[in-house]
Amino acid sequence: MHRSRGPRPTLEAVAAHAGVSRATVSRVVNGGAGVRSEVRERVRASVDALGYVPNSAARSLVTRRTGAVAVVIAEPESRVFSDPFFSRQLRGISRELAERDLQLLLMFLEERGDSARVSRYLSAGHVDGVLMFSLHGEEPPLGGAAEEAGLPVVFGGRPGWPGAAADPGLLYVDTDNRGGGRQAVAHLLERGRQRIGVITGPLDQTSALDRLEGARDALAAAGAAPPPALDGRFTAEGGERAMARLLDEEPGLDAVFACSDLMASGAMRTLRARGLRVPADVAVVGYDDLEPASWADPPLTTVRQDVERMGRIMARLLLRRLALEPDEASPSPVVTPAQLVIRQSS
Amino acid sequence: MHRSRGPRPTLEAVAAHAGVSRATVSRVVNGGAGVRSEVRERVRASVDALGYVPNSAARSLVTRRTGAVAVVIAEPESRVFSDPFFSRQLRGISRELAERDLQLLLMFLEERGDSARVSRYLSAGHVDGVLMFSLHGEEPPLGGAAEEAGLPVVFGGRPGWPGAAADPGLLYVDTDNRGGGRQAVAHLLERGRQRIGVITGPLDQTSALDRLEGARDALAAAGAAPPPALDGRFTAEGGERAMARLLDEEPGLDAVFACSDLMASGAMRTLRARGLRVPADVAVVGYDDLEPASWADPPLTTVRQDVERMGRIMARLLLRRLALEPDEASPSPVVTPAQLVIRQSS
């Protein structure tokens, strides 16, 4: 190993030398998980050639200096607290971390300024790894700051930004949202429903988009036209409003697939207010199978995903990246199944 | 200033030399807010005499090195997420911190082991200050670890451990829980109710105890006996169960004061299940004036506390301790008012 005599080489210089992305260099420096052995060797050769020294945040990984894991949720705290999805997933994460005596730090990303501040905190070496939720939009969250700081990251939900699908090192846990959407609408078709509307989540999230695609799959397979669809923002109030607009635009609607139980509960409020019976006039199917599904009157047909288990799997993937779990193979993304649960609302 | 020649002097040594508590030394080292000038001078003289050097966590305060504030909630995350009280208070805190570009880190304290881990993280210099909620029991939370690490702490709710009332340096934000409890029960008495039960929170919390004391005050002022009271754990399910037991033990009950809106909503479920009308058979008064009060059917008479504002005030007190807010006087505890809001349930 020989060192260059110029200024201290950067991650960028190593990436350019090896002909790979900065994220790939970061991954190799942190153990090489998720990187093909051929690429790993090339990066290591460049690290040696340039005499690159990882920064302190990256080094802290090796020693587990902080004993803490950040959970970053890209939502305002009011939404995080009103949707049982997050509390259930956090329960899975916190149990898994507590078993290894790791501290969970919860942070919210609401506004543009929050992103710079969270990036700064994560980059300053206060945590050993990051779990990141509720991705929106077209860019990697935090501009990739966590990865550049050498922190392993696991995403909740499949990342959707350009290039994400081709990146073999991205780690995430997802459910089969497309399959779930397909089951929901196929069930409504089987029950003889003919004019089915969809209340989606924000379509800049892959989970929302995939559920809608699944609904379209089921209708296409039956030779039917794509459904009318409106965004209910994954909130009860959004579901209430979207249902009202769907009924205004399609008075003959006889079924609705709401892509979360919370939105389904809002939709049922609107149906009740308009004097429409569930399921006699309009059948309703939700998604999640969390508390709002069992509170609903009538109880809600929905698509179950085991949210607490997803949280546990996310934490375990991170632990493997942190090499706290003895493991030979590199960790890879996990997609858990979705399962229709039929109750009275359909 | 002269230094002793022995081992490096500890905080304990300074405390013993000055004849004050460790917490007082810590406060003086961190600016002296909340400490009488005479005591402050004595501690500073001992610091000089022994050559005490504050630890790195304490020094980080001066430079605001981390830019982060920990919010520690001594509850399982499932309870934090199901009670709108916490999300509302967090909203106030996060807005106030965001305005100063400070990062909020949320941590839960659920089991005994969590306490050691959180203490370790806080003591390791990863945060500049601590906001602490939902205190239980008879001891300072985290065994005083945050204070010993030189971190300023502000409590949500009046601390109740022995000696807390006499400690002039303790900072907290509370509402007038005793006055609120008094108003709630005085109102029921004015409406002619004669057999009033109370559903309390856990009585190891001062907020729960104070509301019950207020209820007793109102009954004593009317010459009535103390009320039958059962603990509903501040949850909807706990309120449901406590209401059932109160009705079993006191079949003639004509009113109930539930010390949170969530418990009141649970109590109303039990009354409905037993075929009792609200308010005709049993009048109900809650506490908080948050979402469950407006969802209730009939709408709930309750005691309003401005929870978001309490969160803002907590953050501001901490900022003053951190000396980010220009301020001449030392900060002192704040008690906000409680106000009865009369609706149909009573």
Side-chain angles (χ1 to χ4, degrees), chain A residues 179-193:
Chain A
R182 205 181 292 129
Q183 289 178 61
V185 171
H187 163 72
L188 290 168
L189 290 166
E190 275 163 30
R191 296 283 159 114
R193 304 290 165 159

Side-chain angles (χ1 to χ4, degrees), chain A residues 65-68 77-78 80-83 86-87 90-92 94-95 97-98 101-108 110 113-114 117-118 120-121 125-127, chain B residues 65-68 77-78 80-83 86-87 90-92 94-95 97-98 101-108 110 113-114 117-118 120-121 125-127:
Chain A
R65 196 178 40 135
T66 74
E77 75 282 340
S78 56
V80 174
F81 277 82
S82 62
D83 191 335
F86 293 107
S87 96
L90 274 172
R91 195 183 312 170
S94 75
R95 289 192 178 165
L97 295 180
D101 207 27
L102 286 164
Q103 180 59 43
L104 186 161
L105 308 177
L106 184 57
M107 306 184 200
F108 306 104
E110 185 170 355
D114 298 344
R117 194 174 57 237
V118 168
R120 217 159 47 229
Y121 192 78
H126 297 298
V127 302
Chain B
R65 196 178 40 135
T66 74
E77 75 283 339
S78 57
V80 173
F81 277 82
S82 62
D83 192 335
F86 294 107
S87 97
L90 274 173
R91 195 182 313 171
S94 75
R95 289 191 178 166
L97 295 180
D101 207 27
L102 285 165
Q103 180 59 43
L104 186 161
L105 308 178
L106 184 57
M107 305 184 202
F108 306 104
E110 186 170 353
D114 298 344
R117 194 175 57 237
V118 168
R120 216 158 49 228
Y121 192 78
H126 297 299
V127 301

Side-chain angles (χ1 to χ4, degrees), chain A:
Chain A
M1 176 164 138
H2 62 93
R3 296 186 179 278
S4 66
R5 280 157 220 277
R8 202 180 145 184
T10 61
L11 195 72
E12 287 75 10
V14 177
H17 191 274
V20 299
S21 71
R22 289 190 298 188
T24 300
V25 175
S26 165
R27 259 175 236 130
V28 172
V29 166
N30 294 304
V35 179
R36 286 202 318 277
S37 61
E38 171 219 322
V39 175
R40 204 157 55 211
E41 288 317 307
R42 193 155 41 144
V43 171
R44 283 180 181 154
S46 297
V47 165
D48 285 351
L50 299 178
Y52 172 70
V53 180
N55 69 17
S56 64
R59 275 199 311 273
S60 81
L61 274 177
V62 179
T63 55
R64 268 188 74 211
R65 196 178 40 135
T66 74
V69 167
V71 175
V72 180
I73 304 186
E75 299 282 352
E77 75 282 340
S78 56
R79 170 150 146 62
V80 174
F81 277 82
S82 62
D83 191 335
F85 177 87
F86 293 107
S87 96
R88 197 62 76 86
Q89 201 142 14
L90 274 172
R91 195 183 312 170
I93 291 170
S94 75
R95 289 192 178 165
E96 201 67 31
L97 295 180
E99 283 171 19
R100 275 107 185 143
D101 207 27
L102 286 164
Q103 180 59 43
L104 186 161
L105 308 177
L106 184 57
M107 306 184 200
F108 306 104
L109 264 186
E110 185 170 355
E111 294 171 9
R112 190 168 280 271
D114 298 344
S115 181
R117 194 174 57 237
V118 168
S119 295
R120 217 159 47 229
Y121 192 78
L122 297 180
S123 305
H126 297 298
V127 302
D128 295 336
V130 182
L131 300 173
M132 206 164 310
F133 276 103
S134 218
L135 308 174
H136 294 266
E138 292 296 305
E139 288 179 11
L142 307 175
E147 292 87 345
E148 285 180 27
L151 292 171
V153 181
V154 177
F155 297 101
R158 178 172 55 82
W161 58 82
D167 187 340
L170 275 185
L171 267 187
Y172 61 86
V173 178
D174 204 3
T175 40
D176 178 13
N177 288 301
R178 189 159 182 165
R182 205 181 292 129
Q183 289 178 61
V185 171
H187 163 72
L188 290 168
L189 290 166
E190 275 163 30
R191 296 283 159 114
R193 304 290 165 159
Q194 306 206 325
R195 305 190 65 174
I196 301 170
V198 179
I199 302 177
T200 74
L203 293 178
D204 61 355
Q205 298 190 20
T206 56
S207 60
L209 198 60
D210 290 355
R211 289 172 201 175
L212 177 58
E213 286 299 320
R216 287 177 175 155
D217 290 347
L219 287 163
L230 284 174
D231 183 356
R233 313 300 305 166
F234 276 145
T235 66
E237 296 69 28
E240 206 169 350
R241 279 194 299 270
M243 186 76 250
R245 282 184 48 208
L246 277 174
L247 289 170
D248 292 343
E249 291 171 16
E250 306 267 338
L253 216 67
D254 60 8
V256 67
F257 167 41
C259 295
S260 80
D261 292 345
L262 263 188
M263 295 195 297
S265 72
M268 284 165 87
R269 277 208 293 266
T270 295
L271 293 169
R272 203 159 31 240
R274 301 240 178 150
L276 293 164
R277 292 161 303 163
V278 176
D281 299 316
V282 180
V284 180
V285 177
Y287 206 106
D288 284 337
D289 200 24
L290 293 173
E291 286 82 351
S294 49
W295 297 337
D297 181 24
L300 192 63
T301 293
T302 188
V303 180
R304 177 181 299 163
Q305 44 181 355
D306 189 340
V307 177
E308 183 167 337
R309 181 163 164 260
M310 288 165 71
R312 279 194 174 263
I313 296 173
M314 281 184 75
R316 279 186 210 140
L317 285 180
L318 188 72
L319 291 167
R320 283 172 62 179
R321 272 267 159 103
L322 284 166
L324 300 181
E325 293 277 88
D327 191 73
E328 294 300 309
S330 297
S332 51
V334 174
V335 179
T336 63
Q339 186 200 355
L340 185 72
V341 180
I342 299 174
R343 300 201 183 91
Q344 287 88 315
S345 69
S346 61

